[in-house]
């Protein structure tokens, strides 16, 4: 009886335009169940319900145990129940989908709703006029006049004090140039610029945030330095930092875009601007109890004026960055595209630059560097696009190390000489020697070429010699700087290996550190 009520309620809500996710939240059931019930005709559902009553289930022997677990832990998911069955009762050969459906039936029968963890929030003090603007991205699929669906992307802006909003749409994923263009449009719409702008940690802006030190993309860094606004990057799902703009994104999706049919981008954008004037910025805000358009008239006087036009074409190209994942793929346009094995390196930033002409995707390690991957763009979603050559281990680990070291040192002849010496003297331990060379190059880049010249002059042929000479040269340089009264901060905490200093002197005089 209860399943029939849920079935009828699902179809009633669908007829009113609710999405599967909204229905699942309303009825507190899984989205998959909403989809399954929504596809069934009444006849199919009655046949399905009858079959449930007349058949035994794989998990019936564990029924009481699962009920007890759910009563003790109402927030248990089907995946967790499956894991507990395998761990505690050694249950095998049962699928996660079977467990999830069984758990849903138990919740209905015993009235055990799933309890989601709640987060405690505190009210954020209102910010003064002109201090902050928040920015975030949204996307959704909308029906078209052609009878299909199209994915649209938008950026929302809001002045934190007045709640005055601006929204702009695209029919493709955003690039850094798009963000900057649209932000300039937002400045014109608002009549000025705030002191601070709050963003999500999006790859269009930032490569990474290392313990609070923001590493922004080159394109956005140049723009930010030109306009001189303060950037604040917040963590994902952080309503304390950007709750205002998150509400705007939901407002645009559920009020403007919901049940609207797309024909072309200019008409859609024009309709959105009219909606902002009519509703988004005119309706009384539920927190401030004021109309954003009226408060904006006062806040506008406190915004910083933006002079001139930003010259995009003189600053950067059209490449965007993507992160390289551990399995040597990058994500672009809803798919994953391969890059050569070894592109991902543990401990590195693992950022590549990509360009798309609408037909092909080109990947480089540097904006103007050599192409490391080129793919035909897929029109489908959820695929892994692989170049077979990227998965061939064409080089051994030794060869890869040699290639990396050669790329790190401009003087090819000298580094080639050292690699040849190491290969002849340490054939069984060449990889270990190459790792020491690579570490020395990374640690002492300013002294490595001089150290190589000294090694060649003294006829030394060990990676440890290279490292020791580089350390000695850096120590001598530090002493020289101290004598001249120029103390460089980066040498203050320099720690050499546990060898006496006379070893380095002997090395430079022609002796061996071995």
């Amino acid at each position: 009886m209860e399943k029939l009520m849920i079935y009828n309620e699902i179809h009633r809500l669908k007829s009113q335009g609710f999405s599967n996710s909204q229905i699942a939240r309303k009825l507190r059931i899984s989205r998959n169940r909403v989809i399954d019930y929504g596809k069934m005709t009444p006849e199919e559902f009655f046949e399905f319900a009858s079959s449930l009553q007349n058949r035994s289930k794989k998990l019936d022997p564990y029924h009481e145990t699962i009920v007890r677990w759910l009563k003790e832990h109402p927030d248990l998911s089907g995946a967790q129940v499956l894991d507990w069955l395998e761990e505690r009762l050694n249950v095998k050969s049962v699928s996660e989908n079977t467990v999830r459906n069984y758990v849903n039936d138990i919740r209905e029968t015993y009235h055990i709703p799933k309890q989601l963890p709640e987060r405690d929030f505190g009210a954020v003090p209102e910010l003064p006029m002109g201090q902050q603007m928040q920015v975030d991205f949204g996307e959704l699929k909308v029906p078209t006049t052609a009878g299909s669906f199209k994915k649209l992307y938008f950026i929302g802006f809001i002045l934190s004090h007045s709640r005055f909003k601006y929204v702009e749409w695209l029919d493709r994923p955003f690039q850094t140039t798009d963000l900057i263009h649209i932000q300039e449009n937002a400045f014109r719409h608002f009549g000025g610029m705030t002191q601070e702008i709050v963003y999500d940690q999006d790859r269009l802006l930032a490569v990474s945030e290392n313990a609070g030190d923001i590493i922004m993309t080159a394109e956005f860094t140049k723009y930010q330095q030109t306009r001189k606004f303060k950037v604040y990057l917040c963590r994902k799902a952080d309503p304390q930092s950007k709750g205002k703009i998150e509400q705007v994104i939901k407002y645009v999706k559920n009020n403007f875009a919901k049940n609207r049919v797309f024909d072309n981008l200019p008409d859609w954008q024009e309709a959105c601007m009219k909606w902002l004037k009519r509703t988004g910025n005119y309706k009384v805000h539920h927190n401030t109890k004021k109309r954003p358009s009226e408060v904006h008239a006062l806040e506008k006087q406190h915004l910083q004026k933006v002079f001139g036009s930003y010259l995009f074409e003189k600053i950067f190209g059209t490449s965007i960055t993507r992160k390289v994942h551990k399995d040597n793929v990058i994500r672009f346009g809803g798919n994953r595209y391969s890059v050569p094995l070894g592109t991902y390196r543990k401990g590195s930033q693992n950022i590549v630059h990509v360009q798309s002409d609408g037909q092909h995707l080109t990947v480089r390690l540097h904006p103007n560097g050599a192409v490391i991957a080129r793919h035909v763009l897929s029109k489908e979603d959820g695929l892994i696009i692989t170049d077979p050559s990227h998965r061939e281990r064409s080089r051994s680990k030794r060869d890869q190390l040699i290639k990396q070291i050669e790329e790190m040192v401009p003087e090819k002849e000298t580094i080639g000489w050292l690699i040849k010496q190491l290969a002849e003297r340490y054939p069984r331990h060449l990889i270990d020697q190459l790792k020491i060379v690579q570490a020395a190059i990374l640690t002492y880049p300013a002294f490595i070429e001089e150290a190589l010249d000294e090694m060649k002059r003294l006829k030394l042929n060990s990676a440890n010699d290279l490292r020791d000479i580089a350390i000695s040269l850096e120590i001598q340089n530090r002493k020289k700087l101290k004598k001249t009264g120029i103390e460089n901060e980066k040498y203050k905490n320099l720690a050499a290996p546990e060898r006496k200093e006379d070893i380095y002197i002997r090395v430079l005089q022609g002796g061996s550190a071995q």
Side-chain angles (χ1 to χ4, degrees):
M1 185 65 181
E2 189 166 353
K3 286 185 174 61
L4 177 60
M5 293 174 61
I6 291 175
Y7 172 82
N8 291 331
E9 190 66 10
I10 288 173
H11 281 266
R12 185 183 70 83
L13 293 172
K14 285 182 80 70
S15 68
Q16 294 180 4
F18 285 90
S19 68
N20 292 329
S21 298
Q22 290 171 328
I23 295 172
R25 287 194 295 270
K26 266 183 172 297
L27 301 182
R28 306 185 78 173
I29 60 177
S30 72
R31 182 173 174 272
N32 286 341
R33 191 174 181 190
V34 174
I35 294 171
D36 290 341
Y37 280 17
K39 292 178 180 178
M40 293 183 188
T41 64
E43 293 77 12
E44 291 172 337
F45 175 77
F46 281 116
E47 184 179 345
F48 166 73
S50 300
S51 68
L52 292 179
Q53 296 175 358
N54 299 327
R55 71 182 182 189
S56 60
K57 300 178 181 178
K58 280 186 178 181
L59 296 176
D60 282 345
Y62 315 102
H63 181 89
E64 296 301 324
T65 302
I66 297 174
V67 171
R68 175 167 52 82
W69 288 346
L70 291 174
K71 285 183 176 180
E72 291 177 3
H73 310 284
D75 60 339
L76 271 181
S77 66
Q80 287 176 295
V81 171
L82 173 60
D83 183 65
W84 284 17
L85 286 169
E86 293 177 348
E87 177 187 9
R88 304 180 185 191
L89 302 178
N90 198 31
V91 176
K92 303 293 184 182
S93 68
V94 59
S95 70
E96 184 174 336
N97 192 51
T98 298
V99 176
R100 183 174 61 246
N101 291 334
Y102 196 80
V103 167
N104 288 337
D105 288 339
I106 289 178
R107 289 192 184 280
E108 286 183 19
T109 304
Y110 291 88
H111 304 288
I112 310 174
K114 187 172 183 179
Q115 295 180 1
L116 299 175
E118 294 186 358
R119 176 177 171 184
D120 294 328
F121 301 107
V124 179
E126 289 295 335
L127 295 173
M129 294 184 178
Q131 178 172 324
Q132 186 189 89
M133 177 173 75
Q134 296 185 6
V135 185
D136 205 356
F137 302 84
E139 59 183 60
L140 75 164
K141 283 188 176 181
V142 296
T144 69
T145 53
S148 59
F149 283 86
K150 186 170 184 63
K151 195 168 189 178
L152 297 179
Y153 305 81
F154 66 96
I155 305 180
F157 302 79
I158 186 171
L159 297 177
S160 294
H161 179 84
S162 64
R163 309 306 203 272
F164 196 70
K165 309 165 194 69
Y166 179 71
V167 179
E168 194 159 327
W169 296 79
L170 282 182
D171 55 2
R172 56 171 173 77
F174 287 103
Q175 298 182 357
T176 305
T177 50
D178 299 319
L179 168 62
I180 298 173
H181 271 294
I182 294 173
Q183 185 163 300
E184 289 287 296
N185 293 341
F187 289 161
R188 286 190 287 272
H189 182 74
F190 292 146
M193 177 180 68
T194 55
Q195 299 173 24
E196 176 186 76
I197 304 180
V198 177
Y199 302 92
D200 198 354
Q201 289 188 13
D202 191 275
R203 64 174 62 90
L204 300 180
L205 289 79
V207 174
S208 65
E209 184 178 16
N210 181 19
D213 294 329
I214 301 170
I215 304 173
M216 292 191 294
T217 61
E219 295 94 332
F220 197 79
T221 296
K222 292 172 183 176
Y223 173 61
Q224 185 262 338
Q225 290 174 348
T226 301
R227 287 303 187 206
K228 302 187 186 311
F229 53 82
K230 182 180 178 183
V231 172
Y232 178 82
L233 287 186
C234 57
R235 296 177 176 86
K236 293 182 178 180
D238 186 3
Q240 294 291 85
S241 299
K242 62 180 183 72
K244 297 179 181 69
I245 189 60
E246 287 184 346
Q247 292 301 316
V248 170
I249 300 302
K250 293 178 184 177
Y251 194 25
V252 172
K253 288 181 178 181
N254 297 325
N255 193 292
F256 167 71
K258 186 176 179 180
N259 298 322
R260 190 180 292 272
V261 179
F262 177 85
D263 182 57
N264 61 78
L265 192 61
D267 288 349
W268 183 272
Q269 180 64 40
E270 183 182 358
C272 185
M273 296 304 294
K274 291 179 179 178
W275 172 83
L276 283 171
K277 185 176 182 180
R278 178 182 66 251
T279 300
N281 289 325
Y282 183 76
K283 296 278 188 180
V284 174
H285 193 272
H286 64 281
N287 282 340
T288 65
K289 309 303 180 187
K290 300 174 182 176
R291 300 186 192 278
S293 56
E294 294 176 356
V295 183
H296 170 251
L298 300 175
E299 185 176 17
K300 187 175 180 180
Q301 304 170 30
H302 297 266
L303 298 175
Q304 300 175 22
K305 297 300 179 186
V306 177
F307 299 101
S309 298
Y310 187 69
L311 302 179
F312 300 89
E313 64 279 2
K314 295 185 180 179
I315 303 298
F316 50 77
T318 58
S319 67
I320 57 177
T321 58
R322 285 294 184 268
K323 180 179 179 181
V324 181
H325 296 270
K326 288 184 178 180
D327 50 355
N328 287 285
V329 298
I330 61 171
R331 294 183 180 274
F332 186 87
N335 292 306
R336 289 178 288 170
Y337 294 86
S338 69
V339 292
L341 286 177
T343 303
Y344 174 87
R345 296 181 186 177
K346 188 175 181 180
S348 301
Q349 289 185 3
N350 292 306
I351 297 297
V352 293
H353 295 259
V354 302
Q355 288 180 304
S356 170
D357 59 7
Q359 300 294 325
H360 296 88
L361 180 70
T362 304
V363 185
R364 294 179 170 87
L365 289 177
H366 306 285
N368 298 312
V371 175
I372 64 169
R374 182 175 170 83
H375 295 278
V376 176
L377 285 172
S378 173
K379 296 181 180 179
E380 301 180 48
D381 290 336
L383 301 179
I384 301 178
I385 314 300
T386 304
D387 184 336
S389 66
H390 294 167
R391 296 298 175 253
E392 294 175 0
R393 294 190 174 272
S394 56
R395 300 188 186 92
S396 67
K397 189 173 183 180
R398 179 198 64 187
D399 294 332
Q400 289 181 14
L401 267 174
I402 290 173
K403 185 175 184 299
Q404 291 169 9
I405 291 170
E406 289 175 340
E407 290 175 349
M408 295 166 71
V409 180
E411 186 52 56
K412 305 302 180 188
E413 182 179 347
T414 308
I415 193 64
W417 166 83
L418 176 61
I419 292 171
K420 183 179 179 181
Q421 294 293 315
L422 296 177
E424 292 175 357
R425 183 176 178 184
Y426 303 98
R428 294 180 58 193
H429 301 91
L430 180 57
I431 288 180
D432 295 329
Q433 287 284 311
L434 291 172
K435 286 181 178 179
I436 295 173
V437 172
Q438 188 178 51
I441 295 171
L442 291 170
T443 309
Y444 311 104
F447 305 96
I448 208 67
E449 290 192 27
E450 188 177 351
L452 283 167
D453 291 339
E454 285 296 316
M455 282 191 69
K456 199 169 184 180
R457 181 179 68 83
L458 300 172
K459 298 181 180 180
L460 301 176
N461 50 14
S462 167
N464 292 310
D465 291 332
L466 175 70
R467 179 195 61 201
D468 294 342
I469 293 173
I471 293 173
S472 179
L473 290 170
E474 187 159 13
I475 290 173
Q476 290 180 10
N477 186 67
R478 181 179 58 174
K479 290 179 179 179
K480 182 179 179 181
L481 291 173
K482 283 184 177 180
K483 286 181 181 179
T484 57
I486 304 173
E487 175 61 26
N488 196 318
E489 290 293 328
K490 75 174 183 178
Y491 299 120
K492 283 188 175 182
N493 299 318
L494 180 66
E498 295 182 0
R499 298 186 180 192
K500 295 181 180 179
E501 194 164 314
D502 60 354
I503 288 178
Y504 307 124
I505 296 174
R506 290 206 306 273
V507 169
L508 293 176
Q509 290 175 346
S512 175
Q514 296 292 315

